[in-house]
Amino acid sequence: MSTQAAGSFGPLQTAGPLVVWVVVMAFVFIECAVIIGLFLPGDSMLITAGIVMATHASGTGHIWALSVGAMVAAIAGNQVGYMIGHRTGSTLVARKNGKYLNTKNLHKVNLLLEKHGFWAVLVARWIPWVRTLCPLVAGAAKMDHRKYTIASTLGAIIWAPVLLLIGFYFGSFIEGIPWLMPFVLISMIVLLVVGTGLGIWQYRKEMARPEESIEVEEVVE
């Protein structure tokens, strides 16, 4: 990394990759496991984390390890989400006129799982709100756990690591442009912080809406 760019981000250099590890693992697990994940900027967080890692001397080693860690966190989060849905039963609670957690979206995910099963779980990784609702609905709909686990694991392999590496190699590329790296990094971090703040606010607003129930159809394959 250039001296100018490194000097511009002293706090990031001092904090080290540990901060990135904590943020990535927490965000990925939460987004894949519980409802608040619907409102977190998961994709942009992974790309930002990759860019930040590119600013560290030890970034190359860490980014590959973090890719594996993020994959494991995604798999674990999906298993937790599935178990929550399974224990909740076939009746899920939505929010009336909710932005994401509404009966319409839960029904859409249920239909996707009924029609496409394995492939729906696999593709769900790349659709933010579906990514969080899919484990919950799959568990409630009693989707075959073995098929679900294989699909969610494959999805994790081609989601978190891919976005982290895209951010890392993009960051490595723009390192050679001293004025561009600070601009990109500051912009991404500001957007991530603002997006997280707005997401938490939206989550609290959503949870304050009246409850309504939806009966999930069992997924038979």
Side-chain angles (χ1 to χ4, degrees), residues 19-82:
V19 173
V20 180
W21 271 86
V22 171
V23 172
V24 168
M25 298 294 280
F27 264 66
V28 168
F29 179 83
I30 291 171
E31 188 173 11
C32 295
V34 291
I35 294 301
I36 192 174
L38 284 168
F39 306 92
L40 298 179
D43 291 342
S44 58
M45 179 278 300
L46 289 169
I47 294 173
T48 301
I51 295 174
V52 172
M53 279 296 193
T55 69
H56 290 272
S58 59
T60 301
H62 275 285
I63 196 64
W64 288 102
L66 181 58
S67 294
V68 174
M71 180 184 69
V72 171
I75 295 170
N78 276 161
Q79 290 299 317
V80 170
Y82 181 94

